[in-house]
């Protein structure tokens, strides 16, 4: 897992040839600490590791006792590990220092960004062609130094066409940039929007600290309520009217969560319209739909499309619908009060590419 270095020139050549190198300095390569280092080296495969007991290499890199040094061709150039010889702690040190303090999101850097241990990211959407790009990025870098290893500071060039989908995921239009957002990756991705549009070192620090302290709440995308949202048999829901309609305890509300690009959703659309038509005059059954690529909910997480959920009256619990997708299947389900889902399996739903891509 680690190349053995026996000459100074070998070490210099390795460092020169790589953006990042981790070298273990151990007088006795059979020592238990050296074995911990090798365990870590075998667990990280995207950067080269080396190990040495050579006195000349110790002197060349000004290392006086056993230790681990991360050498890199950017930022401060070097990080010396001063923690315990514990594999998890050492791995965290390496992963926290192997990336630049501020990293540009590109196809090449994506794997390191999303595959690393740090799952909290602040994203700066900015045009590299802007006259003050370097000044703004410098302020961003100053803020980043206070949170190294805790949150990745990333910038995204808004002039790159492929990055437009990332802006869409955050509900950002190009004329709203430069702007910053924070995302916490995981089972439920959580996004945060800053309370101010200021783009200074202090505002970046304040934003990150506010999210860490939980004084800034998660940001949920929502469209404005359409004027004609209830003019058709299938009611149109957005983030701003969802709770009022779907959680109305005097109604049984059946909601399709869809994506405009989803093939299965397009197949379901005419059947869903027929279902809406059947119950358009009902006093207690509402058929509705929501574009989940443009609207998000705090307590309803959508993993694929279409997702169908039934919100029964006089209840706080939603029922996941996993039955067949014919008109008769839906009618039988509604007439049973949300209990009879039949035996026909639902088609597999289309996964959401924006979420998968962000991960």
């Amino acid at each position: 897992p680690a190349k053995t270095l026996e000459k100074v020139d070998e070490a210099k050549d390795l460092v020169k040839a790589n953006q990042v190198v981790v070298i273990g300095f151990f007088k006795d390569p059979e020592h238990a600490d050296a074995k911990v280092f090798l365990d870590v080296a075998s667990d990280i495969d995207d950067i080269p590791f080396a190990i040495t007991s050579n006195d000349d290499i110790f002197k060349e890199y000004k290392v006086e006792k056993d230790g681990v040094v991360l050498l890199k061709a950017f930022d401060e150039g070097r990080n010396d590990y001063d923690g315990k010889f514990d594999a998890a702690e050492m791995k965290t040190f390496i992963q926290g220092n192997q990336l630049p303090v501020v990293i540009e999101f590109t196809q090449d850097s994506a794997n390191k960004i999303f595959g690393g241990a740090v799952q909290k990211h602040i994203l700066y959407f900015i045009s590299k062609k802007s006259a003050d790009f370097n000044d703004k990025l410098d302020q961003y870098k100053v803020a980043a130094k206070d949170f190294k290893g805790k949150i990745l500071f990333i910038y995204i060039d808004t002039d790159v066409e492929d990055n437009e989908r990332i802006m869409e995921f955050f509900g950002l239009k190009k004329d709203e940039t430069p702007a910053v957002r924070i995302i916490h990756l995981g089972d439920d991705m959580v996004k945060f929007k800053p309370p101010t549009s200021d783009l200074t070192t202090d505002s970046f620090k304040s934003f990150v600290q506010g999210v860490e302290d939980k004084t800034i709440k998660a940001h949920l995308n929502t469209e404005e309520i359409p004027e004609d949202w209830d003019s058709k048999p299938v009611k149109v829901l957005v983030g701003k009217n969802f709770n009022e309609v779907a959680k109305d305890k005097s109604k049984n509300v059946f909601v399709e969560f869809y994506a405009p690009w989803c093939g299965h959703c397009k197949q379901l659309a005419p059947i869903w319209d027929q279902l809406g038509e059947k119950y358009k005059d009902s006093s207690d059954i509402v058929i509705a739909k929501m574009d989940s690529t443009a609207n998000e909910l705090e307590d309803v997480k959508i993993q694929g499309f279409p997702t169908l959920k039934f919100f029964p009256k006089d209840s706080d619990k939603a029922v996941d619908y996993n039955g067949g997708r014919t008109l008769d299947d839906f009618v039988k389900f509604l007439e049973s009060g949300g209990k009879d889902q039949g035996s026909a399996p639902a088609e597999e739903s289309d996964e959401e590419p924006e979420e998968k891509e962000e991960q």
Side-chain angles (χ1 to χ4, degrees):
K3 175 182 174 66
T4 299
L5 300 175
E6 297 177 349
K7 296 180 181 179
V8 171
D9 285 345
E10 280 185 297
K12 286 184 175 180
D13 289 345
L14 182 67
V15 172
K16 187 176 180 180
N18 294 279
Q19 286 283 298
V20 180
V21 174
V22 180
I23 302 177
F25 293 82
F26 298 97
K27 295 292 187 182
D28 176 7
E30 298 300 318
H31 192 277
D33 291 346
K35 291 181 178 179
V36 171
F37 172 75
L38 292 174
D39 286 342
V40 172
S42 65
D43 202 31
I44 299 177
D45 57 11
D46 57 345
I47 53 176
F49 282 72
I51 188 168
T52 188
S53 57
N54 182 278
D55 288 339
D56 291 336
I57 299 176
F58 269 71
K59 291 176 184 175
E60 175 67 25
Y61 290 96
K62 297 180 173 58
V63 176
E64 297 178 355
K65 61 180 181 179
D66 284 5
V68 175
V69 178
L70 184 148
L71 298 160
K72 54 193 180 184
F74 49 83
D75 294 344
E76 65 271 46
R78 172 175 176 156
N79 303 105
D80 290 68
Y81 181 63
D82 60 1
K84 296 181 295 184
F85 277 87
D86 170 80
E89 188 175 333
M90 190 182 297
K91 187 176 178 181
T92 298
F93 160 80
I94 293 167
Q95 291 177 323
N97 288 288
Q98 74 176 92
L99 294 175
V101 66
V102 170
I103 183 169
E104 180 180 3
F105 177 84
T106 64
Q107 293 305 312
D108 290 336
S109 67
N111 285 341
K112 287 188 176 181
I113 289 172
F114 296 123
V118 181
Q119 297 289 288
K120 297 177 182 179
H121 303 165
I122 178 170
L123 309 175
Y124 195 174
F125 296 89
I126 186 171
S127 167
K128 288 176 74 173
K129 295 178 183 177
S130 58
D132 57 353
F133 169 74
N134 288 327
D135 290 338
K136 286 185 172 175
L137 199 65
D138 285 345
Q139 295 213 44
Y140 195 53
K141 287 180 179 178
V142 173
K145 291 175 182 176
D146 284 2
F147 299 96
K148 192 164 72 170
K150 297 178 181 178
I151 181 168
L152 286 186
F153 275 64
I154 300 162
Y155 75 90
I156 296 175
D157 186 0
T158 56
D159 296 318
V160 175
E161 186 176 344
D162 286 349
N163 291 342
E164 290 178 5
R165 290 186 63 200
I166 304 175
M167 288 190 281
E168 288 174 11
F169 179 73
F170 284 89
L172 266 174
K173 296 182 176 64
K174 191 168 182 179
D175 60 9
E176 295 175 315
T177 61
V180 291
R181 296 291 188 269
I182 286 176
I183 185 166
H184 287 188
L185 303 179
D187 292 337
D188 292 327
M189 281 190 287
V190 185
K191 296 176 283 189
F192 301 86
K193 181 179 178 180
T196 172
S197 59
D198 291 346
L199 298 169
T200 64
T201 295
D202 287 344
S203 68
F204 297 139
K205 288 182 179 180
S206 178
F207 181 30
V208 174
Q209 198 60 56
V211 172
E212 290 291 286
D213 294 341
K214 298 183 178 179
T215 57
I216 295 178
K217 302 297 182 185
H219 174 68
L220 302 170
N221 290 338
T222 181
E223 296 175 298
E224 294 299 321
I225 301 173
E227 289 185 10
D228 61 347
W229 72 271
D230 63 346
S231 64
K232 295 179 181 179
V234 176
K235 311 308 176 187
V236 178
L237 303 184
V238 297
K240 290 187 174 182
N241 70 345
F242 182 85
N243 286 343
E244 178 185 350
V245 178
K247 298 185 179 181
D248 180 349
K249 291 192 176 180
S250 68
K251 309 284 186 183
N252 290 302
V253 185
F254 202 10
V255 183
E256 177 204 4
F257 298 89
Y258 72 95
W261 46 260
C262 161
H264 292 306
C265 302
K266 292 173 183 176
Q267 292 174 5
L268 179 60
I271 300 171
W272 205 249
D273 286 340
Q274 291 173 31
L275 187 66
E277 187 67 31
K278 179 172 180 62
Y279 289 102
K280 68 178 181 180
D281 297 322
S282 172
S283 61
D284 66 348
I285 293 178
V286 176
I287 309 301
K289 62 182 180 180
M290 189 175 89
D291 178 355
S292 285
T293 66
N295 299 278
E296 298 169 317
L297 304 168
E298 186 174 3
D299 55 352
V300 179
K301 302 303 178 185
I302 306 302
Q303 301 298 330
F305 300 115
T307 290
L308 306 177
K309 289 181 180 286
F310 179 65
F311 297 83
K313 63 181 180 181
D314 298 323
S315 175
D316 292 322
K317 292 186 178 179
V319 176
D320 290 321
Y321 180 81
N322 298 304
R325 292 183 184 168
T326 68
L327 180 61
D328 287 344
D329 290 325
F330 293 142
V331 170
K332 193 178 296 183
F333 174 71
L334 289 171
E335 296 300 329
S336 72
K339 296 174 183 175
D340 184 0
Q341 298 207 21
S343 57
E347 298 176 38
E348 290 185 4
S349 64
D350 287 345
E351 292 177 333
E352 181 177 2
E354 287 84 0
E355 288 200 353
K356 297 301 178 187
E357 184 172 297
E358 284 298 309
Q359 291 176 344

